[in-house]
């Protein structure tokens, strides 16, 4: 009988994704993307203006891996008024040798959150100074937490301290508290300018359309991982800061230059696909990345379908092998 | 808890899709497509050359209906050597008001077969002469049967006789036998030329790249529904026959002119999106369709994502209402 072999709910998926294994898969995805060893068709979009909703369908395959993914993610932004979550989504994994459905992952968007967290952490670790310890996270939402947890998990350094800044100080404090309760050294920052000046690493996770981080606040040697900007108009960093950076990197230039953090610099002709470095090239060693402790590096992440394929495969493999799982976070 | 509300296997879906209800839904889909009241993003394609496989992801929504569909269809053509079916597929239905998953239809491609059968039957009934009775089906595969069964079901005329022609006469005979066992008047045709000359309606369902039906074999007044051609190079009708037709119709000009039956005529500059008539325009009455009994009409079907949406919604509604179901075919 032909059937879907594996159906997993969010809680089951959370129990199966080992963060270290997931990070290895995401690293492979970034490198494959940089080397062109992937299939990533155009993202499909459906819009539902009257109810303030949309749907994105992404699909991707890393050459040589056993499965390809089709991810369907919806955002219906009037849902909370009905007591429903805005975001819904699921990942479907198919066998790349037979086309059969391998797994239906009803992750409700959780895998996207985690692969974004892992991608940010890998990027930060690859580009920050070797001696970094002070990390500022701008924003206090779900992704702020994921960035902190993934970075702490993947770093072998126990001495990282996190500062959380948000427009609403109470939310920054709540996020810091949640991180502290898991043994992560975190506190709220009240002054963004001061917090930027002191940071070795800045991770931005907001949907702002008015840049928050000014160039004059950023010290030499700082690395910035920009997560928030994902559509035309969104921008977290002052344009001058992007121009000042010694290295600009991204996961996918076509996205980053068009609707990510680099859109303004690209529109002004100051950045192009030729000058922005793929993160995967740094991870593979094909590009040296940071070469001294005074450089400012900025990496913009807009997300890859092959990241979805990578984490979906990780979950599938874990379910198949029944391997014990450590380092799970929810 | 957020979850998929309804999961149905092929046999359950077959029990829920009433053919008459499905036909109404397909009619609505054709009309909406012709009127532009639809969302149909570009089809997503992934290819797996080494294993002779591919995956198409189609998505669509008919304005105003409660759900949109994402259909994933795979074809891995080496599968039969492993004892597996070549085709796999499923339809996912999402709420157009909240984005929530309404149904996962594990139809294994059956809904695509049926919506193609129903679309062909509706088209044939709309374009054939009012007094048609002799139907020739070229090809003896699954779609040949679906075309015959759907046409017989939707026609109020008990006097239709079907001839089945195939390259392999034994297959034509087997298909005719299966139809007869369901009370449909059917027999195999040994001579394609003779069968074409006698037919009021010709329905072509083969993947041939060498045209089978010659212009000189087709009598005035014949209607042809062409189902088989769905990629560059495939062609079932002699090019002269297409040029000779009084009316050329299709479900979607962009597909039909590029990789459907009309590709050769379009490449020669003899047909364009302006001269090919949408089937939905005839079904809605916006175009008169056939205006006399001597005209030759040709309709080319390449399939619409909104047909998938329409039949998926029909199944979903039937499951929700628990309505009794008549006229099911498998």
């Amino acid at each position: 009988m032909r059937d879907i072999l594996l159906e997993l709910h969010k809680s089951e998926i959370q129990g199966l994704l080992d963060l270290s294994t997931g990070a290895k898969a995401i690293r492979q995805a970034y490198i494959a993307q940089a080397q062109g060893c992937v299939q990533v068709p155009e993202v499909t979009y459906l819009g539902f203006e009257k109810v303030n909703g949309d749907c994105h369908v992404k699909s991707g395959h890393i050459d040589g891996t056993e499965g390809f993914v089709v991810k369907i993610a919806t955002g219906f932004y009037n849902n909370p008024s009905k007591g429903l979550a805005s975001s819904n989504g699921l990942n479907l994994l198919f066998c790349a040798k037979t086309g059969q459905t391998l797994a239906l992952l009803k992750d409700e968007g959780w895998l996207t959150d985690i692969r974004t967290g892992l991608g940010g952490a890998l990027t930060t670790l690859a580009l920050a100074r070797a001696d970094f310890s002070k990390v500022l996270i701008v924003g206090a939402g779900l992704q702020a937490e994921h960035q902190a947890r993934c970075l702490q998990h993947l770093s072998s350094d126990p001495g990282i301290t996190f500062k959380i800044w948000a427009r609403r100080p109470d939310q920054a404090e709540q996020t810091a508290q949640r991180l502290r309760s898991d043994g992560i050294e975190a506190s709220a920052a009240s002054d963004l300018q001061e917090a930027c000046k002191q940071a070795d690493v800045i991770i931005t996770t907001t949907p702002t359309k008015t840049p928050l981080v000014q160039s004059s606040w950023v010290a030499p040697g700082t690395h910035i991982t920009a997560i928030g900007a994902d559509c035309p108009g969104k921008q977290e960093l002052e344009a001058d800061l992007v121009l000042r950076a010694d290295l600009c990197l991204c996961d996918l230039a076509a996205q980053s230059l068009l609707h990510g953090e680099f859109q303004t610099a690209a529109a002004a002709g100051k950045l192009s696909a030729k000058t922005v470095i793929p993160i995967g090239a740094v991870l593979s060693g094909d590009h040296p990345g940071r070469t001294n402790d005074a450089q400012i590096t900025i990496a913009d992440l807009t997300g890859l379908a092959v990241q979805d394929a990578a984490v979906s495969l990780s979950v599938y493999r874990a379910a198949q092998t029944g391997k014990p799982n450590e380092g799970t976070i929810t």
Side-chain angles (χ1 to χ4, degrees), chain A:
Chain A
M1 181 179 176
R2 290 183 296 168
D3 204 352
I4 285 173
L5 298 180
L6 181 68
E7 295 192 23
L8 296 173
H9 288 84
K10 180 179 169 183
S11 59
E12 296 168 308
I13 294 164
Q14 289 176 328
L16 284 165
L17 187 69
D18 175 88
L19 279 194
S20 303
T21 310
K24 277 181 204 155
I26 297 291
R27 173 184 289 273
Q28 181 194 12
Y30 277 149
I31 292 173
Q33 179 81 40
Q35 296 179 339
C37 302
V38 297
Q39 284 194 71
V40 277
E42 287 281 306
V43 176
T44 296
Y45 171 86
L46 292 116
F48 303 89
E49 272 184 35
K50 284 182 190 168
V51 290
N52 198 17
D54 57 39
C55 175
H56 291 88
V57 183
K58 294 184 179 180
S59 47
H61 181 235
I62 300 170
D63 294 356
T65 60
E66 69 260 44
F68 63 92
V69 82
V70 177
K71 178 174 90 167
I72 299 141
T74 60
F76 281 67
Y77 306 100
N78 298 346
N79 276 5
S81 68
K82 302 171 194 165
L84 300 170
S86 294
S87 299
N88 277 281
L90 48 81
N91 282 263
L92 282 154
L93 187 68
F94 297 88
C95 178
K97 287 183 179 167
T98 67
Q100 291 179 300
T101 314
L102 294 179
L104 167 62
L105 305 179
K106 304 172 186 175
D107 68 302
E108 300 170 25
W110 183 81
L111 282 173
T112 301
D113 293 337
I114 284 296
R115 60 90 154 145
T116 304
L118 288 171
L122 281 173
T123 300
T124 298
L125 287 171
L127 275 308
R129 298 196 315 272
D131 67 347
F132 88 94
S133 67
K134 293 176 187 167
V135 177
L136 166 65
I137 297 184
V138 181
L142 201 58
Q143 197 47 233
E145 276 192 61
H146 283 307
Q147 291 295 324
R149 288 178 200 276
C150 289
L151 183 55
Q152 180 68 65
H153 185 88
L154 298 186
S155 167
S156 53
D157 185 350
I160 301 178
T161 60
F162 290 91
K163 290 275 184 193
I164 313 291
W165 180 91
R167 280 188 205 279
R168 288 185 49 187
D170 57 324
Q171 291 186 338
E173 181 49 41
Q174 284 165 17
T175 298
Q177 261 177 17
R178 276 194 296 275
L179 292 171
R180 280 199 301 273
S181 73
D182 283 348
I184 295 170
E185 196 175 326
S187 59
S190 55
D191 183 333
L192 180 58
Q193 178 175 349
E194 194 54 37
C196 284
K197 284 184 173 174
Q198 290 176 8
D200 302 321
V201 166
I202 301 171
I203 302 171
T204 59
T205 66
T206 75
T208 186
K209 295 192 171 182
T210 308
L212 294 168
V213 179
Q214 295 187 21
S215 181
S216 63
W217 302 349
V218 174
T222 303
H223 168 72
I224 300 170
T225 297
I227 306 283
D230 61 357
C231 69
K234 287 192 191 170
Q235 188 175 337
E236 300 185 282
L237 313 178
E238 192 182 30
D240 281 355
L241 176 54
V242 173
L243 302 184
R244 182 182 155 212
D246 297 280
L247 274 185
C248 285
L249 310 98
C250 69
D251 49 1
L252 187 58
Q255 291 176 175
S256 196
L257 298 169
L258 205 64
H259 58 252
E261 189 61 44
F262 297 151
Q263 57 186 283
T264 302
K270 304 290 177 67
L271 275 182
S272 74
K274 287 182 182 171
T275 53
V276 176
I277 294 143
I279 288 160
V282 177
L283 293 174
S284 68
D286 288 338
H287 187 282
R290 171 184 293 277
T291 50
N292 70 60
D293 284 355
Q295 288 176 323
I296 290 178
T297 52
I298 300 178
D300 176 43
L301 302 183
T302 49
L304 301 175
V306 287
Q307 285 179 278
D308 302 316
V311 289
S312 295
L313 269 173
S314 287
V315 170
Y316 174 71
R317 288 171 187 151
Q320 294 299 102
T321 60
K323 254 196 175 175
N325 179 21
E326 289 172 25
T328 299
I329 61 174
T330 55

